[in-house]
Amino acid sequence: MDQEILKVNNLKTYFFTEDEEIPAVDGVSFSISKGETLGIVGESGSGKSVTALSIMRLLPVPPAKIVDGQILFRDEDLLKKSEDEMRNIRGNRISMIFQEPMTSLNPVFTIGRQISETLILHQGMNNKEAIEKSIEMLKLVKIPLPEKRVREYPHQLSGGMRQRVMIAMALACRPEILIADEPTTALDVTIQAQILELIKELQEQLGTAVMMITHDLGVIAEVSDNVMVMYCGRALEYSDVETLFNNPKHPYTIGLLKSVPKLKGRREKLHAIKGIVPMPNEITSGCRFKTRCEQKTLICENKEPPFIKLGKSLVRCWKYQ
Amino acid sequence: MLKYAIKRIILAIPVIISMTIIVFLILHLAPGEPIDLIVGPNVTPEVYESIRHKYGLDQPLIVQYFKFLGNLFRLDFGDSILQQRPVSRLILERLPVTLKLGIAGFILSVIIAIPLGILAAVNRNTIIDYTCMTGAMLGMSLPTFWFGLLLLYFFAYRMRIFPISGYGTWKHLVLPAFALGLTDAAVTARMMRSSMLEVLGQDYVRTARSKGLAEKVVIYQHALKNALIPIVTLLGMRLGWIIGGSVVLETIFSIPGLGRLMIDSIHSRDYPVVQGSMIVLTSAIILGNIIADILYAVIDPRIKFD
Ligand SMILES: Nc1ncnc2c1ncn2[C@@H]1O[C@H](COP(=O)(O)OP(=O)(O)O)[C@@H](O)[C@H]1O
Ligand SMILES: [Mg+2]
């Protein structure tokens, strides 16, 4: 279980536009072990997708540039790989699924063609084998009538079904890591639960490590082993899931948890974090969270806290100094 | 698929009927009686009336229209007033010339425009993009006739590679086909570029890349097929314009095509000929649109099931 397959060190991905430099991801480190699920949570704009796309090396260069850091996949730095080597990894050893199932599949190709494509490319199957395997994958993700579906086009499927197809496609080559970027955000609540259940089940069957990106703490609680809380390009807290929920440390994490409705116990007033996420280049000194933090002190204004180790958690807050 | 095609053709029927009404009305409501041309000014009212009767012009408009429509079904456009020959015969003589020129121009424009549009989109905001788009901008802003004259001046008059005017050999077709094709290509290339750019920003292109597909496959399979959808519509419509598009060029290059026939007969007020060629021209455009819609359904699987 403890075999680290992905280790990201001090990743910095910046966007360089005409008159601005946007540190979308600014020195983030984390690791994922075999079969484990790392949840990455944070409000919109905190740099979650950019982190994921940096690992896939799928960001458009320019404007994006990975200015520093390492992404060690099985001890090899993905940032040093050639484009050809990366292509061999994408969809094969590391796969990704996206937030928008409605638009993430190509409307003019059949489901079968889109799944079998990766199998032909990475596994050297011929067309017939690949289609058979595609049907098998559709069965695996519990799509009814897979023999029929394989010949259909994405518009003939519902959003939930399309996300299942995306999962089938991503897992077809049995990748070591599945990056799921808000896979359930665009879906109905009941479908959300089914999709999460499916990802968990397949993860156990195939031994895939999962990086689950979401802004929804409910999803995190459901699937994660470890959690990284991101805010404005930085990790603010990093711990195992029990510690995070039972004993949250960073004021931001505490705020996020308070804003989740609970059914157990007394119904308290929902507590929203005041203000909005600043642009990554807005805060140039001090703690990233200072503009919205209710426990801010003088030092928070001027000096950014380092990651402080507290038991099993890492937390970036001066409170714990 | 077949059902869709049939539906599409049925939908075109009202359009065709309106078209015949318009063509019919334009000429009958235009000032001046067509027969003035045949009879000349010094004719007795009796003779005048008998000629009017012979051409059916003394009957109510609605009767005339249905006769006109009935004749159309038999591809009978009447006789040319000037040449005293069936209009359909005249059109059939001229049509192949226009078709040859139009199709040559069309093919030329497609084989120039599509690769250039893709090239520009894939290399967006680079020197390649700017060069292609400046060229396209020029092609679009220069009128076809001006471009035709320019080609004539350089390649026919100065360099004497191609004949200045007339029709007969393939050499006669080269310059007008280029004049037609290049200006057309400009519009298509710009559209191809913007369509491709839009598609390249779509989620499914990112998905294709995330599968590890080579950039060539991403662009020429995943993106191109989607980007071609609006282009096919445009080209379908242009296909219809093959016949109408070369009117001006046929005049400049003295090519005896349908466009020339139409212009000449407008000048000489040879109404049956004008009517006949307008019907052929608009029918071609309607046909082009039908072909475009059917092609659209062939490449876009979402269409058939709507
Ligand atoms: N193509 C881009 N150009 C410039 N800035 C970008 C681009 N993509 C993302 N960003 C910036 O990166 C930041 C993080 O974005 P993202 O990773 O998408 O957030 P999220 O956590 O919601 O997934 C955003 O604040 C945004 O300003
Ligand atoms: Mg995102």
Side-chain angles (χ1 to χ4, degrees):
Chain A
M1 220 8 206
D2 243 339
Q3 188 188 353
E4 258 178 15
I5 51 175
L6 185 77
K7 189 159 172 47
V8 173
N9 291 325
N10 192 33
L11 176 69
K12 294 188 179 181
T13 307
Y14 292 8
F15 288 91
F16 295 90
T17 63
E18 252 164 49
D19 38 35
E20 279 185 316
E21 179 185 316
I22 303 170
V25 174
D26 202 10
V28 165
S29 305
F30 57 89
S31 65
I32 306 180
S33 301
K34 192 168 186 297
E36 176 195 277
T37 300
L38 172 71
I40 298 187
V41 66
E43 288 165 283
S44 175
S46 50
K48 306 181 299 289
S49 297
V50 173
T51 304
L53 292 169
S54 300
I55 296 170
M56 296 294 281
R57 291 249 316 262
L58 277 176
L59 286 164
V61 184
K65 187 166 189 278
I66 297 178
V67 294
D68 197 12
Q70 284 180 311
I71 299 173
L72 300 174
F73 173 54
R74 298 238 179 243
D75 299 321
E76 289 177 53
D77 192 350
L78 294 184
L79 299 180
K80 295 206 174 78
K81 297 260 181 222
S82 70
E83 185 49 33
D84 273 346
E85 290 171 313
M86 270 320 286
R87 274 204 289 272
N88 234 323
I89 292 174
R90 285 183 205 130
N92 187 24
R93 300 180 63 197
I94 307 180
S95 291
M96 185 159 175
I97 55 179
F98 301 93
Q99 177 169 348
E100 287 297 336
M102 303 310 273
T103 53
S104 289
L105 288 167
N106 195 323
V108 300
F109 293 132
T110 60
I111 305 296
R113 148 113 205 225
Q114 297 188 58
I115 301 176
S116 57
E117 198 168 39
T118 44
L119 293 162
I120 294 167
L121 177 71
H122 295 301
Q123 315 258 295
M125 290 187 182
N126 66 32
N127 208 40
K128 192 165 160 279
E129 292 164 340
I131 289 289
E132 274 163 22
K133 174 81 184 174
S134 303
I135 295 174
E136 204 180 292
M137 287 309 296
L138 290 178
K139 266 188 209 137
L140 195 67
V141 297
K142 305 193 174 102
I143 288 183
L145 304 172
E147 287 86 0
K148 174 165 170 283
R149 291 300 189 188
V150 83
R151 276 177 275 119
E152 292 186 342
Y153 290 90
H155 71 271
Q156 294 167 275
L157 272 60
S158 68
M161 283 296 155
R162 285 189 220 184
Q163 200 59 299
R164 283 173 195 264
V165 171
M166 282 296 292
I167 294 170
M169 205 162 83
L171 295 181
C173 297
R174 294 187 166 240
E176 289 151 78
I177 303 176
L178 172 70
I179 302 177
D181 189 355
E182 312 236 11
T184 58
T185 303
L187 303 172
D188 293 343
V189 185
T190 47
I191 311 289
Q192 278 188 20
Q194 292 171 9
I195 296 286
L196 287 180
E197 204 47 51
L198 178 72
I199 292 177
K200 248 167 54 177
E201 208 181 302
L202 294 178
Q203 173 180 26
E204 267 159 38
Q205 266 181 48
L206 309 174
T208 317
V210 174
M211 181 169 146
M212 175 65 70
I213 295 176
T214 178
H215 62 264
D216 183 346
L217 280 166
V219 173
I220 293 288
E222 187 84 18
V223 301
S224 308
D225 300 306
N226 289 313
V227 188
M228 178 168 79
V229 179
M230 274 190 84
Y231 185 81
C232 203
R234 287 272 201 212
L236 296 186
E237 184 159 354
Y238 186 22
S239 76
D240 63 286
V241 70
E242 284 85 18
T243 312
L244 190 98
F245 279 89
N246 297 332
N247 189 6
K249 302 202 172 54
H250 198 284
Y252 179 58
T253 315
I254 295 169
L256 279 182
L257 283 167
K258 273 195 190 156
S259 63
V260 178
K262 289 194 203 73
L263 270 186
K264 283 188 208 134
R266 223 158 27 90
R267 291 202 186 180
E268 296 167 47
K269 211 175 117 205
L270 270 190
H271 191 94
I273 305 173
K274 291 194 187 74
I276 52 159
V277 187
M279 280 292 288
N281 56 352
E282 259 173 64
I283 293 172
T284 50
S285 70
C287 175
R288 304 262 159 157
F289 189 54
K290 65 181 181 184
T291 50
R292 299 167 74 191
C293 185
E294 290 172 354
Q295 304 173 34
K296 181 178 67 176
T297 59
L298 194 63
I299 188 167
C300 308
E301 278 292 350
N302 305 313
K303 210 163 162 229
E304 182 163 24
F307 249 145
I308 295 164
K309 191 149 177 58
L310 276 179
K312 284 195 270 179
S313 311
L314 284 169
V315 57
R316 204 185 275 282
C317 179
W318 285 121
K319 226 169 85 177
Y320 301 99
Q321 180 63 315
Chain B
M1 189 64 241
L2 191 67
K3 240 172 80 184
Y4 175 83
I6 291 169
K7 201 173 111 195
R8 187 59 194 78
I9 290 167
I10 289 171
L11 278 175
I13 290 174
V15 180
I16 293 172
I17 291 178
S18 330
M19 180 266 286
T20 60
I21 295 177
I22 293 170
V23 170
F24 174 79
L25 283 182
I26 285 177
L27 292 176
H28 283 78
L29 298 180
E33 285 270 8
I35 47 167
D36 290 355
L37 221 74
I38 320 172
V39 295
N42 315 315
V43 76
T44 61
E46 291 77 37
V47 176
Y48 188 85
E49 267 318 306
S50 74
I51 293 174
R52 256 176 72 99
H53 183 73
K54 179 181 159 208
Y55 282 95
L57 293 170
D58 53 348
Q59 283 165 328
L61 221 48
I62 187 89
V63 177
Q64 287 189 48
Y65 171 70
F66 277 107
K67 255 171 83 183
F68 167 75
L69 201 61
N71 289 338
L72 275 190
F73 274 112
R74 284 175 278 117
L75 292 182
D76 177 2
F77 304 107
D79 286 348
S80 159
I81 296 173
L82 222 62
Q83 303 196 34
Q84 299 291 333
R85 290 170 60 205
V87 172
S88 49
R89 186 58 69 63
L90 284 175
I91 290 175
L92 276 181
E93 277 169 22
R94 304 296 194 97
L95 197 59
V97 180
T98 298
L99 280 178
K100 256 187 222 161
L101 173 57
I103 290 171
F106 180 79
I107 291 174
L108 211 59
S109 84
V110 172
I111 53 182
I112 294 169
I114 303 243
L116 278 190
I118 297 172
L119 198 68
V122 171
N123 298 286
R124 172 171 42 163
N125 294 342
T126 64
I127 186 80
I128 300 174
D129 183 19
Y130 297 139
T131 313
C132 293
M133 285 308 108
T134 311
M137 203 60 205
L138 266 172
M140 260 172 68
S141 30
L142 300 180
T144 309
F145 81 87
W146 193 89
F147 195 61
L149 288 176
L150 203 72
L151 289 179
L152 261 184
Y153 179 75
F154 278 105
F155 294 102
Y157 179 71
R158 295 295 293 268
M159 298 167 75
R160 297 180 187 277
I161 302 177
F162 297 107
I164 290 206
S165 71
Y167 179 75
T169 67
W170 64 270
K171 276 190 162 187
H172 287 97
L173 269 182
V174 174
L175 291 184
F178 264 95
L180 198 64
L182 287 182
T183 42
D184 245 26
V187 182
T188 315
R190 282 173 63 91
M191 179 122 171
M192 185 70 221
R193 174 183 182 270
S194 63
S195 173
M196 194 71 184
L197 276 182
E198 196 191 315
V199 167
L200 286 176
Q202 296 293 317
D203 290 346
Y204 54 78
V205 169
R206 186 183 55 190
T207 305
R209 292 203 173 104
S210 80
K211 289 157 115 178
L213 297 173
E215 197 58 17
K216 311 205 277 291
V217 179
V218 174
I219 289 170
Y220 294 103
Q221 293 180 23
H222 281 255
L224 186 60
K225 202 171 172 203
N226 284 282
L228 279 177
I229 293 171
I231 303 300
V232 162
T233 320
L234 177 83
L235 290 181
M237 292 195 233
R238 298 240 145 209
L239 202 62
W241 274 105
I242 278 180
I243 294 180
S246 57
V247 172
V248 176
L249 284 172
E250 287 179 10
T251 311
I252 298 175
F253 287 90
S254 319
I255 295 169
L258 191 64
R260 267 281 297 286
L261 179 69
M262 195 163 90
I263 299 282
D264 289 348
S265 37
I266 289 174
H267 283 308
S268 56
R269 296 223 253 152
D270 194 343
Y271 287 145
V273 181
V274 178
Q275 227 165 28
S277 30
M278 271 167 85
I279 296 271
V280 172
L281 208 144
T282 36
S283 305
I285 292 170
I286 293 170
L287 188 70
N289 283 335
I290 294 176
I291 293 175
D293 279 357
I294 292 172
L295 278 179
Y296 197 87
V298 171
I299 60 172
D300 190 344
R302 284 163 297 188
I303 301 292
K304 288 166 235 173
F305 301 91
D306 286 348

